[in-house]
Amino acid sequence: TTLNEVLAVLFFALAVAVNIGLNNFSMSLLPVSLNMVIRSCIPLVTLLLQQLARGLQLLDTTPATCWDALVMSVGVAGAAITALAESETKNEETQQGHLGIGVLMCCLGDIAAATTLVLAAAFSSTLKPPLSPLDTVFYTALPCALALLPASLYASHPINWPNAGTLTDWEVYQRVHQLNPGTILLVIFSGVVSAGYNFIQYTVVQTLSASHAAFAGNFNKAATISLSIFLGLELLPGGQWSYVMVLGICGNIVAFTTWSYMQAIRAPKNVENGDLR
């Protein structure tokens, strides 16, 4: 293990921590729908960073074409339209004074999220020996937790509780623990689920590409909303917004399917040329 490899893992853990922190912070300042719209832009950011890393010879990946950018833009637009239409079913409010900084934090979180995906892809080709998805999850867990610890203990943020004001994450946990000590079991369980999710995501990143994994996240979002509506767990907004939501969901799903097909027919050509990614 060299110093560069250790620094790469630590930088990756820091990017994960920044992504989590900025996203949670922006969610305390923005409506959930607006947060989802901004986060739906992660595939485009990932595609740009992936091509930048390729230009710097940090990542062995195929060059993006205009069709890639077009199809992904359609998918991102579909996810954004779906989130906007979904917001019509909720009465979400936000303080205008916090809107600007909330949008800024969410945009920076997009960059951090895209960085983690690109680095996860690079770990399979640039590190010697390469880091597998399981190695990536476990090697970065402790540094990521330590990076988030100061903010959890000292950074106050608004809480959506009556007369709660601003609290730190640790103060929130203390209050919840007083009301229901068994909540700690849910916290531990969520950690296990998160580790499993990250393992699957990094597997997709290293098997396909960073931008493919990011786009899959948008597809999952649209598919989840569709399933919720089909099962009666969620209702269409009503009026013209119902058609807008259906259009956004269909656009996202069709775009992701087209993107996957384009990658599938391109893969044999890449193997013949000696390019496996």
Side-chain angles (χ1 to χ4, degrees):
T1 302
T2 65
L3 178 60
N4 289 338
E5 292 170 343
V6 173
L7 292 177
V9 172
L10 292 178
F11 182 75
F12 177 85
L14 180 61
V16 173
V18 170
N19 173 38
I20 295 172
L22 291 180
N23 185 48
N24 290 344
F25 182 43
S26 68
M27 289 184 67
S28 69
L29 302 175
L30 299 175
V32 175
S33 57
L34 181 55
N35 175 272
M36 290 177 61
V37 169
I38 298 175
R39 296 288 290 184
S40 67
C41 297
I42 291 178
L44 279 180
V45 180
T46 304
L47 184 63
L48 293 175
L49 290 183
Q50 187 173 279
Q51 297 307 309
L52 177 61
R54 178 181 180 275
L56 297 175
Q57 297 183 345
L58 299 176
L59 186 64
D60 183 18
T61 184
T62 55
T65 65
C66 294
W67 284 110
D68 291 324
L70 177 61
V71 172
M72 189 167 288
S73 296
V74 172
V76 168
I81 290 173
T82 302
L84 284 175
E86 186 185 23
S87 69
E88 293 300 310
T89 64
K90 304 178 178 66
N91 295 320
E92 297 174 323
E93 297 179 356
T94 186
Q95 298 180 12
Q96 292 297 325
H98 294 158
L99 182 62
I101 189 168
V103 170
L104 176 61
M105 294 299 102
C106 198
C107 291
L108 293 177
D110 281 8
I111 298 176
T115 300
T116 62
L117 295 178
V118 173
L119 287 176
F123 284 171
S124 65
S125 58
T126 59
L127 297 184
K128 303 298 181 182
L131 281 184
S132 68
L134 190 62
D135 293 334
T136 303
V137 170
F138 284 103
Y139 286 166
T140 59
L142 182 59
C144 180
L146 293 177
L148 288 171
L149 187 60
S152 301
L153 294 176
Y154 303 111
S156 299
H157 52 84
I159 301 297
N160 191 23
W161 292 347
N163 303 319
T166 59
L167 298 173
T168 64
D169 289 344
W170 176 243
E171 290 171 336
V172 170
Y173 171 75
Q174 287 180 312
R175 293 197 182 186
V176 173
H177 184 72
Q178 291 174 353
L179 297 174
N180 186 0
T183 306
I184 184 62
L185 297 178
L186 295 177
V187 174
I188 296 174
F189 177 72
S190 69
V192 175
V193 173
S194 297
Y197 170 80
N198 287 335
F199 171 76
I200 295 173
Q201 184 182 50
Y202 299 152
T203 300
V204 173
V205 167
Q206 295 186 1
T207 304
L208 299 174
S209 69
S211 54
H212 204 131
F215 206 4
N218 274 9
F219 174 82
N220 291 341
K221 188 182 303 179
T224 300
I225 295 174
S226 302
L227 185 61
S228 298
I229 294 174
F230 178 76
L231 295 177
L233 301 176
E234 190 169 346
L235 300 176
L236 289 171
Q240 61 182 4
W241 284 106
S242 296
Y243 301 102
V244 173
M245 175 176 280
V246 172
L247 178 63
I249 292 173
C250 293
N252 182 270
I253 293 175
V254 170
F256 179 77
T257 303
T258 303
W259 166 270
S260 300
Y261 176 74
M262 290 169 56
Q263 300 303 307
I265 62 176
R266 188 183 300 170
K269 297 179 181 179
N270 294 336
V271 172
E272 291 175 0
N273 295 333
D275 186 0
L276 300 179
R277 189 167 295 276

Tab-separated table of all heavy atoms in Angstrom, residues 11 13 24 55 76 95 99 105 132 165 182 189-190 235 252 259 262:
chain	number	residue	atom	x	y	z
A	11	PHE	N	-9.552	10.550	0.358
A	11	PHE	CA	-10.266	11.567	-0.427
A	11	PHE	C	-11.645	11.070	-0.832
A	11	PHE	O	-12.624	11.831	-0.830
A	11	PHE	CB	-9.443	11.927	-1.667
A	11	PHE	CG	-10.075	13.005	-2.511
A	11	PHE	CD1	-10.046	14.331	-2.114
A	11	PHE	CD2	-10.703	12.683	-3.708
A	11	PHE	CE1	-10.634	15.324	-2.883
A	11	PHE	CE2	-11.290	13.671	-4.490
A	11	PHE	CZ	-11.258	14.994	-4.064
A	13	ALA	N	-13.464	8.898	0.851
A	13	ALA	CA	-14.295	8.939	2.062
A	13	ALA	C	-14.749	10.355	2.353
A	13	ALA	O	-15.894	10.583	2.771
A	13	ALA	CB	-13.508	8.370	3.249
A	24	ASN	N	-28.035	16.523	3.207
A	24	ASN	CA	-28.895	16.650	4.391
A	24	ASN	C	-29.110	18.111	4.767
A	24	ASN	O	-30.214	18.511	5.176
A	24	ASN	CB	-28.283	15.889	5.570
A	24	ASN	CG	-28.325	14.384	5.379
A	24	ASN	OD1	-29.052	13.890	4.526
A	24	ASN	ND2	-27.550	13.661	6.161
A	55	GLY	N	-9.796	12.503	-19.863
A	55	GLY	CA	-8.841	13.405	-20.489
A	55	GLY	C	-7.536	13.509	-19.713
A	55	GLY	O	-6.462	13.684	-20.301
A	76	VAL	N	-32.715	13.232	-17.433
A	76	VAL	CA	-32.641	14.184	-16.324
A	76	VAL	C	-33.853	15.105	-16.328
A	76	VAL	O	-34.454	15.387	-15.283
A	76	VAL	CB	-31.336	15.002	-16.409
A	76	VAL	CG1	-31.374	16.187	-15.454
A	76	VAL	CG2	-30.137	14.114	-16.087
A	95	GLN	N	-38.333	28.990	3.507
A	95	GLN	CA	-38.032	30.382	3.749
A	95	GLN	C	-37.173	30.902	2.610
A	95	GLN	O	-36.132	30.340	2.296
A	95	GLN	CB	-37.288	30.535	5.084
A	95	GLN	CG	-38.117	30.065	6.283
A	95	GLN	CD	-37.365	30.220	7.585
A	95	GLN	OE1	-36.321	30.864	7.634
A	95	GLN	NE2	-37.900	29.642	8.642
A	99	LEU	N	-33.329	29.967	0.546
A	99	LEU	CA	-33.435	29.287	-0.736
A	99	LEU	C	-32.105	29.283	-1.484
A	99	LEU	O	-31.667	28.248	-1.992
A	99	LEU	CB	-34.514	29.948	-1.597
A	99	LEU	CG	-34.768	29.311	-2.965
A	99	LEU	CD1	-35.250	27.871	-2.796
A	99	LEU	CD2	-35.797	30.121	-3.751
A	105	MET	N	-25.867	24.587	-1.729
A	105	MET	CA	-25.403	23.387	-1.035
A	105	MET	C	-25.799	22.130	-1.799
A	105	MET	O	-25.031	21.169	-1.881
A	105	MET	CB	-25.991	23.342	0.377
A	105	MET	CG	-25.513	24.435	1.320
A	105	MET	SD	-23.718	24.405	1.602
A	105	MET	CE	-23.187	25.769	0.532
A	132	SER	N	-12.053	-3.693	-4.844
A	132	SER	CA	-13.355	-4.217	-5.243
A	132	SER	C	-14.444	-3.376	-4.586
A	132	SER	O	-14.173	-2.577	-3.685
A	132	SER	CB	-13.488	-5.678	-4.798
A	132	SER	OG	-13.543	-5.752	-3.378
A	165	GLY	N	-36.737	24.811	17.106
A	165	GLY	CA	-35.637	25.709	16.756
A	165	GLY	C	-34.579	24.981	15.956
A	165	GLY	O	-34.877	24.215	15.038
A	182	GLY	N	-35.447	2.179	21.641
A	182	GLY	CA	-35.278	1.150	20.620
A	182	GLY	C	-34.945	1.698	19.249
A	182	GLY	O	-34.628	0.926	18.328
A	189	PHE	N	-29.750	-0.771	11.715
A	189	PHE	CA	-30.286	-1.458	10.538
A	189	PHE	C	-30.125	-0.606	9.282
A	189	PHE	O	-29.782	-1.114	8.209
A	189	PHE	CB	-31.760	-1.801	10.761
A	189	PHE	CG	-32.414	-2.456	9.574
A	189	PHE	CD1	-32.111	-3.769	9.234
A	189	PHE	CD2	-33.331	-1.764	8.803
A	189	PHE	CE1	-32.702	-4.376	8.142
A	189	PHE	CE2	-33.941	-2.357	7.712
A	189	PHE	CZ	-33.621	-3.668	7.374
A	190	SER	N	-30.384	0.706	9.418
A	190	SER	CA	-30.220	1.590	8.261
A	190	SER	C	-28.772	1.624	7.799
A	190	SER	O	-28.502	1.758	6.604
A	190	SER	CB	-30.709	2.998	8.602
A	190	SER	OG	-29.853	3.624	9.547
A	235	LEU	N	-50.894	9.390	-4.944
A	235	LEU	CA	-51.887	9.790	-5.916
A	235	LEU	C	-51.279	10.741	-6.941
A	235	LEU	O	-50.312	11.455	-6.641
A	235	LEU	CB	-53.071	10.483	-5.230
A	235	LEU	CG	-53.835	9.647	-4.192
A	235	LEU	CD1	-54.915	10.491	-3.531
A	235	LEU	CD2	-54.439	8.401	-4.832
A	252	ASN	N	-38.298	9.540	-18.534
A	252	ASN	CA	-37.128	9.051	-17.811
A	252	ASN	C	-36.885	7.578	-18.087
A	252	ASN	O	-35.749	7.151	-18.338
A	252	ASN	CB	-37.318	9.287	-16.310
A	252	ASN	CG	-36.113	8.853	-15.497
A	252	ASN	OD1	-36.026	7.716	-15.067
A	252	ASN	ND2	-35.185	9.772	-15.291
A	259	TRP	N	-30.523	4.500	-23.226
A	259	TRP	CA	-29.117	4.612	-22.813
A	259	TRP	C	-28.522	3.219	-22.590
A	259	TRP	O	-27.411	2.918	-23.046
A	259	TRP	CB	-29.034	5.449	-21.543
A	259	TRP	CG	-27.738	5.378	-20.824
A	259	TRP	CD1	-27.390	4.489	-19.844
A	259	TRP	CD2	-26.592	6.217	-20.994
A	259	TRP	NE1	-26.119	4.732	-19.395
A	259	TRP	CE2	-25.614	5.783	-20.088
A	259	TRP	CE3	-26.321	7.300	-21.828
A	259	TRP	CZ2	-24.374	6.400	-19.997
A	259	TRP	CZ3	-25.075	7.910	-21.723
A	259	TRP	CH2	-24.122	7.467	-20.823
A	262	MET	N	-27.921	1.507	-25.871
A	262	MET	CA	-26.754	2.067	-26.543
A	262	MET	C	-25.466	1.511	-25.951
A	262	MET	O	-24.515	1.192	-26.681
A	262	MET	CB	-26.774	3.597	-26.427
A	262	MET	CG	-27.863	4.270	-27.243
A	262	MET	SD	-28.067	6.028	-26.826
A	262	MET	CE	-26.417	6.655	-27.100
